[in-house]
Amino acid sequence: MPIPCSSCEKKLAVLKRPKTGHSLCKDCFFWAFEEETHQTITSAKLFHQGETVGIGASGGKDSTVLAHVLKVLNERYHYGLNLILLSVDEGITGYRDDSLETVKRNQQQYDLPLKIVSYEELYGWTMDQIVKKVGLKNNCTFCGVFRRQALDRGAMMLRVDKVCTGHNADDIAETVLMNFLRGDIARLRRCTAITTGSEGAIPRCKPLKYAYEKEIVLYAYFKKLDYFSTECVYSPNAYRGYARAFLKDLESIRPSAIMAVIHSGENLSVKEDVKMPVQGTCGRCGYISSQGLCKACVLLEGLNRGLPKLGIGKHHKLHSRLLRDQPLTEREEKKLKSVDF
Amino acid sequence: MCQVEEDYKDEALQRTAALSVGQKCMKCKEGCAVVVIRVGDAFCKSCFRDYFVHKFRAMLGKTRLIFPGEKVLLALSGGSTSSSMLCQVQEGLSREASKKLRFSPGIVHIDEGAVCGRSAEERQETLMQLEAIFQASGFPYHIVYLEEVFKLPNSILQSVSSSPTSHGQNYKEAVDDFLQKQREALIDVEQRLTVEDERNVTHSEQIEAKFDQLSTSTAVSEENSATILSETSPSGKWPFTLEQTEAVKELFSSVKTLTAKEELLQTLRHHLILHTARNKEYSKIMMGDSCTRLAVKLLTNISLGRGASLAVDTGFSDNRYGDIMILRPMREYSSKEIAFYNKLFEVPTVFTPALDTKASDKASIHRLTESFVNKLQTDFPSTVSTVYRTSEKLNTACSDINSGVEQTDKCLLCLCIMDTKVEEASAFQATLISEKLSCKQSPDQMPVNKVSEQSCCDNQAEEKGKCCSTNSGACHPPVSNTTTDFLTLLCYSCRLTVKDMVSLSLLPQYVLSEAERRKRRAQVREQIQEFLLPPEDESDENY
């Protein structure tokens, strides 16, 4: 039996919103989705008139929808933003090269400028080379840390005021759960913030923070957006996988659970006497870091010295010697060399 | 210890040795190890007992919340953790005077058989087993039935501001005071004894007489519990009517999801325990939540949107009711430790089927989280303790946001501080906006600038196919008990629970009439708003 749209009550509904359970027609859904993103942007005061905003574009559904919605809203509500697509090429054959083709098409479709920064030019290593050294077990650590910094470096080159990423509600909820499971109290506190990195670094924001992943897919599907949907060829982060599976199960029991997790995350606060890492800068590259050396520099040092495990786990004691380019003892080296494939 | 381990040449060899059967206890190095706690720490029976008992006493000792002579109500389900808790209290009271626990315990058990699909006979049988345990403990006990929620007073939902005079003195003074009195009493008894000796009354007779007195007092309190909560039942057997059993069943069958049923049951259970404590003048309640249980509860509550009240829901002490404090003294034991203790020392437990017994893993958020945590725990053995430690570092956030607001009101059902007065850029507001945008709206209204806190697009409104757009500040309809009005009295999570209910009218009267009272008060407040002066000080009472 066809159901009428619960919003306009004229057209027939074509979908049931995963977030609220309402049945909507295509146009009402587009309108609601865009309007919600607009509400998020205005209520959190994400942008100011005349700013240059870099959109982290991977070619995947989230960033494609983000780029599309931002362009639409920028015109509809006269944000006066100067939008630029910003992509990172990790150097993963069979994955990133294909998705970057999508980004290049998007650039044409949306008529936005595009900047690509690659691991190879920034670090001298592609992910393919890193995986050869590190194996498939901890490679996501390298990729994640490098990408975060690469995006910032690209943003600095373009002199943008802000970077926005396509993180959706599911991603945020997943991160809340994961940080809770890992006991990472510092990240737990930061991870629900819609804008991060105020000091020194270029602020990053997540306009799709309250958009369900499923609605993003629906939006992209009905808008017939051109996006790339293949999992990375290197194994996904195992521990996040647990949190992800758990969240999907939660959603299947009670769809509002995703928002509930975010609500919980937003209302958590940490006791004042709990020790927090102090934010400083990296002694080598000047990037924000809570240690003497930032994670990216430690990982890179490990790769260059042929000690890939240097950045896996905690080896803070070695930082001062790494900074001064001093060699490590044989025993330490032996420990950091072994890679179990 | 560390040095000893380093002496071994081959680590792998040592590991296998650590798990062999004939091993000695790592603590006393004498007894035969019977149980491995933590990673590779093998304990003998008596060292395990010492370790277990010490943990309980240390928990009470370091928190210094139970004052000497205080009446403490132990909430007992009959399950392993709460039974183990009873055992610890008994142990603590049986010690010699200097080490004896100094509070006087009582037991409460809530019989939830009505909603767990059990017949009267089955319930009777379980209760008999439980009563045997309770009687053996010698503590006064109270058995309360879920049906009795229909007799609860409104006042259960009002948190009492704790009077600072009740325990104005500090802990140490209180202890000294207590010991002084005890000494005096002892001297008194001794004097009387000598007098009675002269009258040729033997010592044993004396004790017997005392014992008689004690058991009569137990019986009296038992009787009281029956009379206070119940009028005489027709059968004389149960302190409630068959209609009430049916009403409870109907209430729970009107709840659409198991998740919401569990939450509702927990809320009602807490109200009953609280009522018993108030009636019998207990000032503390002890709940048997183990570390494992709490880890599950933490993740469950995050998933239910109870982030703001995580600290009160799972911390050692919970002061949401004001006058009566909830304590969780078992929170440092893992369920495994408890199971071993109960087995080794033959602690009696009674199995009672719960709402989710035999339910599938995905039947409710509670079940899902439990199986998730247990599975993760097998892969990553530090999961439970990590989650538990994370919670130790948390505080309630909403308290400081709300303290500036006129009235720090509490949720009608869970009595936690409301977490719905949040800033505009928040998950709560975003959800309201989504709901509003998915409903019918006149086109000229389209650019919604501000969604009032009282969104009305709940399921009921949707069914009617329209959405009244009440703006904040507009007149509230005096016709009460629409779901919308009711929801505004609840915290984020309790709203989700109530949204899963078909009808509010089945809720016990005390909930409905308290809701009514709060609404009226809010209306009155609105009328006189312009004449009210802002409170000078934020140290004002909560209520």
Side-chain angles (χ1 to χ4, degrees), chain B residues 431-496:
Chain B
T431 315
L432 293 181
I433 290 166
S434 297
E435 285 174 352
K436 189 153 187 141
L437 287 173
S438 309
C439 282
K440 187 179 159 58
Q441 253 166 335
S442 45
D444 49 75
Q445 248 189 314
M446 282 217 173
V448 197
N449 285 323
K450 202 172 176 232
V451 176
S452 67
E453 214 230 303
Q454 302 188 333
S455 163
C456 42
C457 306
D458 52 71
N459 298 337
Q460 267 72 22
E462 187 203 338
E463 272 164 30
K464 285 175 215 146
K466 62 174 182 183
C467 171
C468 51
S469 46
T470 17
N471 291 313
S472 55
C475 62
H476 300 285
V479 253
S480 56
N481 277 344
T482 58
T483 317
T484 315
D485 273 355
F486 191 79
L487 288 181
T488 58
L489 301 170
L490 302 177
C491 71
Y492 186 93
S493 175
C494 290
R495 283 181 196 213
L496 293 178

Side-chain angles (χ1 to χ4, degrees), chain B residues 232-491:
Chain B
T232 35
S233 58
S235 64
K237 209 166 161 193
W238 304 97
F240 54 84
T241 61
L242 273 178
E243 288 78 52
Q244 283 171 331
T245 308
E246 284 311 307
V248 166
K249 281 185 186 163
E250 203 187 345
L251 169 63
F252 276 82
S253 60
S254 82
V255 182
K256 287 179 280 185
T257 60
L258 186 60
T259 307
K261 277 182 196 172
E262 298 249 21
E263 283 298 290
L264 180 65
L265 179 60
Q266 181 172 305
T267 306
L268 298 179
R269 185 194 302 136
H270 270 97
H271 292 167
L272 286 171
I273 295 174
L274 175 66
H275 180 71
T276 314
R278 280 194 181 149
N279 244 325
K280 307 291 177 195
E281 291 166 341
Y282 288 93
S283 47
K284 298 267 159 45
I285 298 169
M286 276 190 184
M287 300 264 189
D289 289 307
S290 66
C291 180
T292 315
R293 183 85 243 137
L294 285 175
V296 172
K297 198 167 168 187
L298 278 161
L299 268 190
T300 307
N301 283 2
I302 286 187
S303 315
L304 292 171
R306 297 190 59 83
S309 32
L310 273 190
V312 278
D313 281 339
T314 59
F316 174 73
S317 65
D318 172 355
N319 205 12
R320 77 181 74 173
Y321 303 119
D323 55 343
I324 288 163
M325 194 185 264
I326 295 177
L327 302 177
R328 301 185 179 88
M330 302 299 284
R331 64 199 304 267
E332 290 206 338
Y333 297 99
S334 71
S335 55
K336 213 173 194 168
E337 277 173 353
I338 291 167
F340 272 115
Y341 184 87
N342 289 356
K343 179 124 181 55
L344 288 173
F345 300 99
E346 289 162 0
V347 178
T349 59
V350 176
F351 171 77
T352 18
L355 263 184
D356 62 350
T357 301
K358 288 187 187 169
S360 75
D361 272 3
K362 286 192 184 177
S364 72
I365 290 183
H366 304 75
R367 285 285 295 148
L368 175 72
T369 316
E370 192 180 345
S371 72
F372 172 72
V373 169
N374 289 340
K375 277 178 200 153
L376 206 59
Q377 176 75 9
T378 46
D379 288 354
F380 303 90
S382 60
T383 303
V384 166
S385 60
T386 310
V387 170
Y388 170 76
R389 299 268 167 249
T390 314
S391 77
E392 294 280 82
K393 298 172 189 161
L394 295 176
N395 225 341
T396 40
C398 260
S399 55
D400 22 293
I401 298 174
N402 282 346
S403 62
V405 187
E406 35 158 62
Q407 205 181 19
T408 55
D409 234 346
K410 295 190 168 185
C411 169
L412 180 73
L413 288 178
C414 69
L415 276 94
C416 284
I417 290 170
M418 291 284 252
D419 55 355
T420 50
K421 286 167 187 158
V422 286
E423 52 200 299
E424 241 184 284
S426 64
F428 176 63
Q429 294 295 347
T431 315
L432 293 181
I433 290 166
S434 297
E435 285 174 352
K436 189 153 187 141
L437 287 173
S438 309
C439 282
K440 187 179 159 58
Q441 253 166 335
S442 45
D444 49 75
Q445 248 189 314
M446 282 217 173
V448 197
N449 285 323
K450 202 172 176 232
V451 176
S452 67
E453 214 230 303
Q454 302 188 333
S455 163
C456 42
C457 306
D458 52 71
N459 298 337
Q460 267 72 22
E462 187 203 338
E463 272 164 30
K464 285 175 215 146
K466 62 174 182 183
C467 171
C468 51
S469 46
T470 17
N471 291 313
S472 55
C475 62
H476 300 285
V479 253
S480 56
N481 277 344
T482 58
T483 317
T484 315
D485 273 355
F486 191 79
L487 288 181
T488 58
L489 301 170
L490 302 177
C491 71

Side-chain angles (χ1 to χ4, degrees), chain B residues 17-37 40-48 344:
Chain B
L19 290 171
S20 72
V21 180
Q23 217 202 330
K24 292 279 171 246
C25 167
M26 59 88 71
K27 205 167 178 197
C28 64
K29 314 268 191 293
E30 280 167 14
C32 213
V34 290
V35 57
V36 178
I37 51 166
D41 288 354
F43 275 43
C44 69
K45 197 168 166 182
S46 87
C47 286
F48 176 61
L344 288 173

Side-chain angles (χ1 to χ4, degrees), chain A residues 43-330:
Chain A
S43 65
K45 301 184 183 66
L46 293 187
F47 307 123
H48 299 290
Q49 193 81 28
E51 277 181 337
T52 304
V53 175
I55 303 171
S58 64
K61 58 180 173 15
D62 298 313
S63 58
T64 306
V65 168
L66 178 66
H68 178 87
V69 171
L70 278 186
K71 189 173 163 66
V72 167
L73 291 177
N74 194 22
E75 283 160 17
R76 185 184 297 164
Y77 291 107
H78 312 290
Y79 291 163
L81 298 180
N82 181 20
L83 300 173
I84 302 177
L85 295 176
L86 181 55
S87 288
V88 177
D89 182 3
E90 294 97 339
I92 303 174
T93 322
Y95 171 67
R96 189 52 88 209
D97 42 3
D98 294 347
S99 68
L100 281 176
E101 287 308 311
T102 320
V103 179
K104 283 174 193 158
R105 283 200 301 276
N106 285 341
Q107 179 205 358
Q108 312 259 300
Q109 288 152 1
Y110 303 149
D111 191 25
L112 296 173
L114 166 69
K115 165 82 184 170
I116 301 176
V117 284
S118 73
Y119 281 10
E120 196 164 17
E121 68 180 278
L122 290 178
Y123 308 109
W125 291 82
T126 65
M127 266 316 281
D128 287 340
Q129 289 166 333
I130 292 173
V131 171
K132 275 195 195 119
K133 289 270 178 217
V134 182
L136 283 168
K137 209 172 166 197
N138 288 309
N139 62 80
C140 291
T141 309
F142 285 83
C143 194
V145 171
F146 284 167
R147 184 169 41 239
R148 193 182 161 81
Q149 211 183 74
L151 209 56
D152 269 343
R153 294 219 203 161
M156 275 185 250
M157 287 181 216
L158 290 171
R159 296 178 188 284
V160 300
D161 300 295
K162 265 158 204 162
V163 174
C164 56
T165 54
H167 290 99
N168 57 42
D170 298 46
D171 294 332
I172 312 276
E174 216 172 274
T175 312
V176 171
L177 290 173
M178 196 174 71
N179 285 333
F180 209 90
L181 286 171
R182 293 199 312 194
D184 193 333
I185 205 82
R187 283 204 179 82
L188 191 57
R189 201 164 60 159
R190 290 192 300 242
C191 70
T192 50
I194 191 158
T195 311
T196 50
S198 47
E199 293 163 50
I202 294 168
R204 291 168 168 243
C205 56
K206 307 163 188 145
L208 297 181
K209 186 188 168 189
Y210 298 118
Y212 274 34
E213 184 175 28
K214 284 194 177 138
E215 300 209 344
I216 290 174
V217 177
L218 280 169
Y219 186 88
Y221 172 80
F222 283 111
K223 281 272 181 190
K224 299 191 177 67
L225 297 184
D226 181 8
Y227 72 88
F228 181 79
S229 59
T230 307
E231 281 284 309
C232 176
V233 289
Y234 299 127
S235 72
N237 191 331
Y239 207 78
R240 184 174 277 272
Y242 288 102
R244 170 165 283 258
F246 177 56
L247 189 80
K248 294 285 173 248
D249 287 342
L250 278 178
E251 191 191 4
S252 72
I253 293 174
R254 185 189 254 186
S256 62
I258 293 178
M259 283 305 244
V261 172
I262 302 178
H263 175 79
S264 288
E266 286 174 344
N267 286 287
L268 288 177
S269 91
V270 177
K271 278 186 188 161
E272 272 146 32
D273 52 355
V274 173
K275 234 169 86 185
M276 281 291 167
V278 186
Q279 204 181 73
T281 50
C282 169
R284 184 165 290 174
C285 70
Y287 189 71
I288 45 161
S289 168
S290 56
Q291 303 296 329
L293 270 177
C294 73
K295 193 78 175 170
C297 284
V298 176
L299 288 170
L300 203 55
E301 183 80 19
L303 285 172
N304 293 336
R305 286 197 187 205
L307 306 170
K309 282 179 110 184
L310 193 59
I312 312 295
K314 287 180 179 165
H315 306 286
H316 297 161
K317 284 179 196 158
L318 307 178
H319 281 195
S320 59
R321 262 182 292 156
L322 291 179
L323 255 175
R324 278 177 268 131
D325 283 322
Q326 284 169 354
L328 303 177
T329 62
E330 221 172 276

Side-chain angles (χ1 to χ4, degrees), chain B residues 27-142:
Chain B
K27 205 167 178 197
C28 64
K29 314 268 191 293
E30 280 167 14
C32 213
V34 290
V35 57
V36 178
I37 51 166
R38 296 186 298 253
V39 191
D41 288 354
F43 275 43
C44 69
K45 197 168 166 182
S46 87
C47 286
F48 176 61
R49 186 193 166 95
D50 290 347
Y51 155 87
F52 199 90
V53 170
H54 173 77
K55 223 180 195 180
F56 187 80
R57 300 175 63 88
M59 184 54 115
L60 297 184
K62 74 179 176 208
T63 47
R64 300 188 147 208
L65 284 169
I66 301 184
F67 281 63
E70 216 174 342
K71 280 181 80 182
V72 177
L73 189 60
L74 312 176
L76 248 87
S77 64
S80 53
T81 312
S82 57
S83 300
S84 189
M85 176 172 80
L86 174 64
C87 177
Q88 291 308 302
V89 172
Q90 280 176 288
E91 205 276 343
L93 286 169
S94 68
R95 292 263 185 127
E96 65 274 35
S98 64
K99 286 184 178 171
K100 197 175 165 182
L101 292 177
R102 299 191 190 96
F103 57 87
S104 59
I107 298 170
V108 63
H109 171 78
I110 309 292
D111 174 88
E112 295 155 4
V115 294
C116 300
R118 310 195 75 211
S119 68
E121 292 75 39
E122 287 169 322
R123 291 171 73 178
Q124 189 68 45
E125 197 181 317
T126 308
L127 287 178
M128 270 167 56
Q129 291 175 34
L130 281 165
E131 281 198 80
I133 296 175
F134 299 164
Q135 273 160 4
S137 76
F139 303 150
Y141 64 92
H142 320 282

